[in-house]
Amino acid sequence: MFTWNFQYISKARLTEAFQQLLLDPYKGDILIRIHTAIHGEEEAVDLARFIKSIVPGAHIFGTSTSAVIVGGKLIQNQCVISVTQMSHGYVRTAMLPTFDENNKPIPPITLTQNIRSAIIDNDTKLMLTFLTGKYLDVYTFVEKCNDVLPNIQMIGGIANTSEISLRKFVDTGFIFDENTSTTKGVILAAIGGTEVESYSSYATGVKAIGSEMEITDTFGTCILAIDGKDASEGFRQSVGDEIKLMPERANLFPYVYSETSNIPIFVRYSDGESISEVFDEDAPMNKSKYEKHPYLDKDQKREMINANHNVRIGKRLRRAFIYDKKIISDNLALFDHIKSFEKAETIFAYSCIARSMMYSNCVKWELSAYENSNMCGCITEGEIANVNGRNTFANCSFVLTAIGEEPCVQPFNPFAYSYTDALSADNKDLIEYICSVESKIADNKDDNITDDLKDFMYSCEQNLLFAEKVNIPNQAAMDIDIKLKGYDRICMINVFEISSMETVFPKELIEQTFKHYVSHCLSFSAGKGYTVYLINGWNLAVGTSSELTPLDIFVSDMKELQKQLFDVNEEYISIVPMFCVIDNCNSDNLLSTYYSARVEMTQKNIQFYVRNTNSGQLDAESIRERYQMVNVINYAIAHDKVIPYFQGIYDNKQKKIHHYESLMRLEDENGKIYNPGSFLEVARSYGLFYDSISKMMVTKVFEKFRNIPDKSVSINLSIRDIKNRDILDYIYEFLSTAKHPENFVFEILENEDINDYDELITFVDKIHDLGSKISIDDFGSGFSNLQHIASIHSDFLKIDGSIIRRCCEDEQSANLVALVAGWKKISARKMDIVAEFVENEAIQELLLKYDIDFSQGYLFSKPSPVIQGL
């Protein structure tokens, strides 16, 4: 089995692609999946027909979608074509109606039997299944498949289009093949054979809470009663009256069926609609519903909760919610299963539209580990998942199937799962909703506040607002306390150099030290009436209100806590925590103020700092200067005025320029050139500005040196760049096709806060695998140490310019140069030393004395946009 995926561009390109594949139906069945977010029904059928004309023996399987999944990426407004050629097994496809000639839905048992007759054989292993949203018996249909088609895994879902909503379920999706399309059907692909094996699983992030309830009355998709009581009223009372003002937030609180308590079932809440407005009385499919409810006031305006499938009386439910930590744990378990599956020749992937809208960061994150694989799929309106060997219909899920005939290992990227910082942002809506409800509970002014609501909110908070493993409040809890309790005085505490600890001390001792560190902060703060929060890693926060604690007392207490943590205890590792008190803060300015203060602390080498958020405000002139620089950056991005300058690096042995360092400059509309010192800090503070100019800089340097065989260039990269998946993908793609990858050196800024050396080492290893080189820049500043340099495997080590400038006058600076030179001599590593800011002969003579390999500075070369001879 072989699978190729490509995005549709044009029929001409499509023809070229298929000609290159050299597909042969006589060598094995061919399945061609088309998931399109850009074609209407007629256009989609035309495309399928065109593909069929190129590959006459292929089985075409087409669905509409709102976005496609290709190689671990979610892409809007595209059409993806996935081609799978079997080696030994078979593919059988069919498109069957889900409504009869009277426009009534075909009973699920009949539909399942029709499918068995059409495509199922004794050794069918997987059934790819897509329905349209108009068939509301989808849940029962999938259940019947378990009975009629035992031991056959299913994956797929409900086709959708770009018409999407969180307030109502839409049914605009269609399915198609080379013959026709329909909005009232099911398209299937059965894959089987003696050699075929498949593994299917899922990730949701849902947490079931509370006791079981039973559905006691329904009207199609509408749940009328639970435990004999009005279901919509009970839903509202359990999540708060705020749901009336924000009905789309009902998605934050799905139900789960008791037999599949980790699969969410969404309901849509509405108020002011009648049954007759939602369910057309004249539609044949609704006739029996009205007959079963003769006494129901069909025209009464009422509250309602509706699912996207017909709901059965007697089903048992539990309340639930979805949050980031559960999404992480679910995906790690899913990935472990998929990567260990032996025959992973092809990966099918489907994810819910609600998931991509509500948890966008999580969706990008969970896909990223598969970025180098042949994963292909699309976004759906609902998914079919395989749960513990049994197929079920689901909402807001990420479902995967690995399938193959021969052993195969996909090029997964497990390191992508290390980057979870952005995922907590997906909890924002949930936290804001809980804050709104909690404020009413605290005021105790609302007579509609029930014990059920209090219990449900408490259960949500216990899972959402406490750190894993250590049962203390997390950052989300701190944000709520800032808003609800007025905590405007926060001390941020952090311990750096954790990676250094890990190279020296055993894991057990590090864990004991961490527990002691946390417990000491907890016990000290409890005695003072403060609250401790675990932000991430070793980063703690201590909070209080200015109304409760004067600033001088809070500062004094934090200094005492820091002193106690400094005290050496032979049972634990000695740590040096940095304390930063942020006063007059709120949830919007706390972290930005802290990060700004931390830079100052690093530059000044201080471990305790007090910063008032107001004192960090810029004066009018500074604000004008800052906005002027924002305009310069904007202009440079819009008008392609990011200008690479180049400075030669002198080889002290060959006595000539060896390679060049690329240096970023910006040009404004008047032709004025700006150095990084004037714009880089502003760009970084805006984030996306920095990402844009950095990508432009890398692109221009690559293009300038792309085809030059005899000149090398170094490019500066920050840790933000290395964490930027877009820039990394571009770098890796360029180097994989470059004629001379050995001519590119990547300078990593070592004076930045590098808190994850595993991530950095992964990048370095990848660059070396692609044939390029690594340089560590600004060695001797920040938190640098030789242990880190030894673990990074760099090709060049650049001594910070502040040290080189002082090396002739300052004995310590000269000693550091000697230390680096001596370390190189005794090290088994092959690494060249570069000294920057070499501005006069005296400095150069000292460098030659210590056998420094390269010198960079005005003595040899000034930065210029032009390289002589290039």
Side-chain angles (χ1 to χ4, degrees):
M1 178 186 293
F2 297 94
T3 295
W4 303 266
N5 305 317
F6 43 88
Q7 295 177 49
Y8 174 76
I9 299 174
S10 67
K11 287 183 177 179
R13 293 288 293 273
L14 198 58
T15 301
E16 181 182 334
F18 276 109
Q19 288 173 346
Q20 292 175 352
L21 291 180
L22 299 175
L23 298 171
D24 185 355
Y26 293 103
K27 291 183 179 179
D29 285 355
I30 299 170
L31 171 65
I32 299 180
R33 288 181 295 150
I34 308 171
H35 297 303
T36 181
I38 58 175
H39 296 98
E41 289 189 57
E42 291 184 5
E43 297 171 313
V45 173
D46 179 68
L47 175 60
R49 198 169 288 149
F50 178 77
I51 293 174
K52 185 76 170 183
S53 70
I54 303 174
V55 191
H59 299 269
I60 309 294
F61 181 104
T63 78
S64 63
T65 184
S66 53
V68 301
I69 296 171
V70 187
K73 291 183 179 178
L74 185 64
I75 306 174
Q76 309 287 336
N77 302 316
Q78 286 290 342
C79 170
V80 64
I81 297 169
S82 180
V83 182
T84 298
Q85 170 124 41
M86 306 295 290
S87 298
H88 312 290
Y90 61 82
V91 174
R92 293 175 182 166
T93 54
M95 190 158 68
L96 304 176
T98 50
F99 288 75
D100 63 20
E101 62 276 8
N102 297 316
N103 205 27
K104 288 186 177 181
I106 294 174
I109 185 64
T110 304
L111 182 59
T112 307
Q113 291 168 344
N114 293 343
I115 291 171
R116 181 177 61 185
S117 300
I119 61 170
I120 300 301
D121 207 339
N122 291 332
D123 56 355
T124 299
K125 304 296 174 57
L126 179 71
M127 188 167 71
L128 182 60
T129 309
F130 262 82
L131 302 101
T132 57
K134 295 184 185 299
Y135 188 72
L136 298 175
D137 282 323
V138 55
Y139 188 91
T140 304
F141 160 71
V142 176
E143 284 194 329
K144 293 300 180 185
C145 285
N146 290 315
D147 301 330
V148 178
L149 312 173
N151 303 318
I152 296 178
Q153 296 176 17
M154 297 173 67
I155 189 172
I158 298 177
N160 75 342
T161 63
S162 57
E163 183 183 334
I164 53 180
S165 172
L166 286 177
R167 291 200 171 205
K168 63 178 183 177
F169 295 111
V170 293
D171 58 5
T172 56
F174 61 90
I175 55 177
F176 63 95
D177 59 14
E178 71 276 17
N179 299 312
T180 188
S181 66
T182 182
T183 60
K184 294 182 176 181
V186 57
I187 191 166
L188 308 116
I191 304 174
T194 56
E195 303 295 325
V196 174
E197 294 180 20
S198 65
Y199 176 82
S200 301
S201 193
Y202 65 96
T204 63
V206 71
K207 174 72 174 180
I209 54 180
S211 57
E212 282 191 351
M213 303 169 286
E214 183 177 341
I215 298 175
T216 50
D217 195 10
T218 67
F219 194 100
T221 62
C222 179
I223 305 175
L224 293 175
I226 295 177
D227 288 341
K229 300 177 182 177
D230 186 288
S232 55
E233 182 181 353
F235 180 81
R236 172 175 50 80
Q237 289 178 345
S238 68
V239 301
D241 286 343
E242 284 74 13
I243 201 69
K244 283 191 170 186
L245 301 175
M246 299 177 285
E248 69 279 0
R249 299 292 173 87
N251 296 286
L252 298 173
F253 308 107
Y255 286 107
V256 295
Y257 289 132
S258 296
E259 67 266 26
T260 51
S261 61
N262 45 6
I263 296 292
I265 298 297
F266 278 4
V267 293
R268 300 288 196 252
Y269 173 88
S270 62
D271 189 19
E273 289 183 301
S274 66
I275 291 289
S276 60
E277 288 174 322
V278 177
F279 300 92
D280 183 1
E281 288 185 77
D282 297 327
M285 61 186 294
N286 293 328
K287 183 178 179 181
S288 63
K289 301 181 182 68
Y290 281 99
E291 290 175 349
K292 292 177 181 178
H293 294 82
Y295 302 110
L296 182 67
D297 187 347
K298 63 179 185 296
D299 298 317
Q300 178 189 358
K301 302 291 185 181
R302 56 180 294 153
E303 295 177 286
M304 279 191 281
I305 53 172
N306 282 279
N308 64 344
H309 61 278
N310 286 333
V311 184
R312 296 205 312 267
I313 293 174
K315 295 289 287 186
R316 301 191 69 80
L317 301 170
R318 292 179 67 191
R319 302 304 315 281
F321 71 102
I322 299 171
Y323 67 113
D324 63 323
K325 289 184 290 186
K326 189 64 165 56
I327 290 175
I328 292 171
S329 63
D330 281 4
N331 270 282
L332 292 177
L334 169 62
F335 182 76
D336 284 342
H337 289 301
I338 293 294
K339 74 176 182 180
S340 60
F341 181 67
E342 186 177 352
K343 293 185 177 181
E345 291 184 289
T346 297
I347 298 179
F348 299 149
Y350 298 101
S351 186
C352 189
I353 181 59
R355 192 176 185 85
S356 64
M357 293 175 70
M358 297 168 58
Y359 307 99
S360 58
N361 292 309
C362 290
V363 169
K364 292 175 184 177
W365 172 82
E366 66 191 2
L367 289 173
S368 62
Y370 307 91
E371 62 182 3
N372 299 319
S373 72
N374 67 8
M375 169 191 280
C376 185
C378 69
I379 295 298
T380 68
E381 190 69 29
E383 304 73 58
I384 298 173
N386 189 269
V387 181
N388 300 323
R390 188 171 178 84
N391 303 304
T392 189
F393 179 69
N395 294 134
C396 205
S397 302
F398 174 45
V399 297
L400 284 183
T401 290
I403 187 170
E405 299 171 290
E406 303 288 344
C408 177
V409 178
Q410 293 274 350
F412 297 125
N413 178 24
F415 299 106
Y417 280 164
S418 304
Y419 318 130
T420 60
D421 294 347
L423 304 193
S424 60
D426 286 344
N427 293 330
K428 181 181 178 182
D429 287 345
L430 181 58
I431 291 172
E432 286 182 352
Y433 192 91
I434 290 175
C435 279
S436 176
V437 175
E438 282 288 357
S439 64
K440 283 193 174 183
I441 294 175
D443 293 341
N444 202 26
K445 295 178 181 179
D446 194 337
D447 294 334
N448 292 324
I449 295 174
T450 64
D451 290 338
D452 187 26
L453 172 60
K454 293 178 182 178
D455 292 343
F456 183 68
M457 287 298 150
Y458 176 77
S459 298
C460 289
E461 291 169 7
Q462 287 298 110
N463 289 277
L464 184 66
L465 306 182
F466 285 83
E468 291 182 322
K469 298 182 181 179
V470 287
N471 190 32
I472 62 175
N474 59 16
Q475 183 176 337
M478 180 177 72
D479 291 340
I480 287 180
D481 286 348
I482 289 173
K483 292 176 181 177
L484 296 185
K485 297 182 179 180
Y487 279 16
D488 56 354
R489 196 158 279 163
I490 304 289
C491 180
M492 303 293 282
I493 308 171
N494 211 344
V495 178
F496 299 98
E497 294 297 296
I498 305 306
S499 56
S500 297
M501 272 192 215
E502 293 170 348
T503 63
V504 177
F505 299 104
K507 181 179 179 180
E508 293 77 11
L509 182 57
I510 296 174
E511 290 178 352
Q512 291 173 11
T513 302
F514 174 76
K515 290 178 180 178
H516 176 261
Y517 159 67
V518 172
S519 64
H520 193 94
C521 290
L522 284 169
S523 59
F524 179 91
S525 299
K528 302 291 183 178
Y530 306 144
T531 304
V532 177
Y533 310 91
L534 179 60
I535 307 303
N536 58 58
W538 291 59
N539 186 187
L540 299 176
V542 179
T544 188
S545 165
S546 57
E547 295 182 0
L548 299 175
T549 311
L551 179 60
D552 58 339
I553 294 178
F554 187 62
V555 169
S556 176
D557 287 342
M558 292 302 99
K559 286 183 176 179
E560 175 60 27
L561 175 58
Q562 185 184 50
K563 178 179 179 298
Q564 293 179 15
L565 292 173
F566 272 149
D567 290 343
V568 177
N569 187 322
E570 293 183 359
E571 296 181 28
Y572 307 106
I573 303 168
S574 298
I575 58 174
V576 183
M578 293 176 66
F579 277 57
C580 181
V581 175
I582 310 295
D583 193 35
N584 198 35
C585 64
N586 56 48
S587 56
D588 294 326
N589 63 24
L590 171 62
L591 292 181
S592 60
T593 304
Y594 169 58
Y595 293 144
S596 174
R598 202 172 76 179
V599 171
E600 290 187 46
M601 296 174 73
T602 301
Q603 292 172 343
K604 298 175 182 178
N605 195 26
I606 56 178
Q607 277 72 47
F608 196 98
Y609 195 56
V610 180
R611 167 71 77 89
N612 188 301
T613 55
N614 291 331
S615 67
Q617 299 295 319
L618 301 175
D619 56 35
E621 181 61 29
S622 297
I623 291 174
R624 276 193 294 271
E625 291 178 359
R626 186 177 181 86
Y627 274 103
Q628 179 188 356
M629 188 50 60
V630 168
N631 290 333
V632 170
I633 298 170
N634 252 327
Y635 178 84
I637 293 172
H639 295 85
D640 196 26
K641 293 298 182 181
V642 176
I643 313 295
Y645 272 51
F646 302 93
Q647 185 176 30
I649 298 177
Y650 185 77
D651 188 327
N652 289 327
K653 295 181 176 60
Q654 298 295 325
K655 307 300 181 184
K656 64 179 182 180
I657 297 297
H658 178 269
H659 64 282
Y660 297 85
E661 178 180 4
S662 58
L663 304 164
M664 187 188 300
R665 301 289 187 266
L666 299 187
E667 182 180 336
D668 68 12
E669 56 189 349
N670 299 314
K672 180 179 178 180
I673 300 297
Y674 294 82
N675 292 330
S678 61
F679 64 79
L680 210 52
E681 182 181 349
V682 175
R684 281 177 174 155
S685 68
Y686 283 88
L688 293 178
F689 274 173
Y690 175 83
D691 294 341
S692 296
I693 61 177
S694 183
K695 176 73 175 292
M696 293 172 72
M697 179 68 178
V698 172
T699 301
K700 290 191 173 187
V701 175
F702 277 171
E703 291 305 314
K704 190 175 187 70
F705 283 80
R706 175 187 289 273
N707 297 314
I708 300 175
D710 58 347
K711 284 186 170 59
S712 300
V713 64
S714 66
I715 303 170
N716 289 295
L717 293 181
S718 68
I719 296 303
R720 181 182 176 91
D721 292 321
I722 293 173
K723 289 176 176 287
N724 186 324
R725 181 54 49 188
D726 181 51
I727 289 181
L728 281 194
D729 287 345
Y730 175 70
I731 291 173
Y732 295 158
E733 183 178 355
F734 174 84
L735 294 179
S736 65
T737 59
K739 292 182 180 179
H740 303 284
E742 69 278 3
N743 288 344
F744 295 93
V745 182
F746 296 90
E747 291 196 16
I748 300 169
L749 304 177
E750 212 280 333
N751 63 347
E752 290 196 341
D753 177 21
I754 304 173
N755 52 24
D756 188 347
Y757 273 84
D758 290 338
E759 180 180 356
L760 182 57
I761 290 168
T762 299
F763 168 75
V764 170
D765 290 344
K766 179 72 171 178
I767 292 299
H768 282 146
D769 289 343
L770 292 169
S772 298
K773 298 176 182 178
I774 293 291
S775 175
I776 301 300
D777 198 8
D778 295 337
F779 177 73
S781 62
F783 293 104
S784 59
N785 62 61
L786 290 175
Q787 278 185 337
H788 290 161
I789 302 305
S791 65
I792 290 175
H793 302 297
S794 60
D795 304 282
F796 297 92
L797 178 64
K798 184 176 285 190
I799 305 175
D800 184 61
S802 62
I803 296 170
I804 300 301
R805 276 177 166 168
R806 301 194 306 267
C807 66
C808 290
E809 293 84 25
D810 179 61
E811 184 178 356
Q812 288 187 347
S813 296
N815 289 340
L816 184 53
V817 175
L819 173 66
V820 174
W823 174 75
K824 179 195 170 180
K825 289 180 180 179
I826 64 173
S827 173
R829 293 269 309 284
K830 182 176 179 1
M831 180 190 297
D832 290 323
I833 310 299
V834 182
E836 57 183 353
F837 285 87
V838 181
E839 298 173 344
N840 55 56
E841 292 288 353
I843 294 175
Q844 177 66 0
E845 287 179 11
L846 187 142
L847 298 176
L848 293 175
K849 172 184 173 183
Y850 290 117
D851 291 327
I852 300 301
D853 302 288
F854 297 96
S855 296
Q856 177 181 357
Y858 277 29
L859 181 63
F860 300 102
S861 172
K862 293 184 178 180
S864 169
V866 179
I867 298 176
Q868 190 173 3
L870 190 62

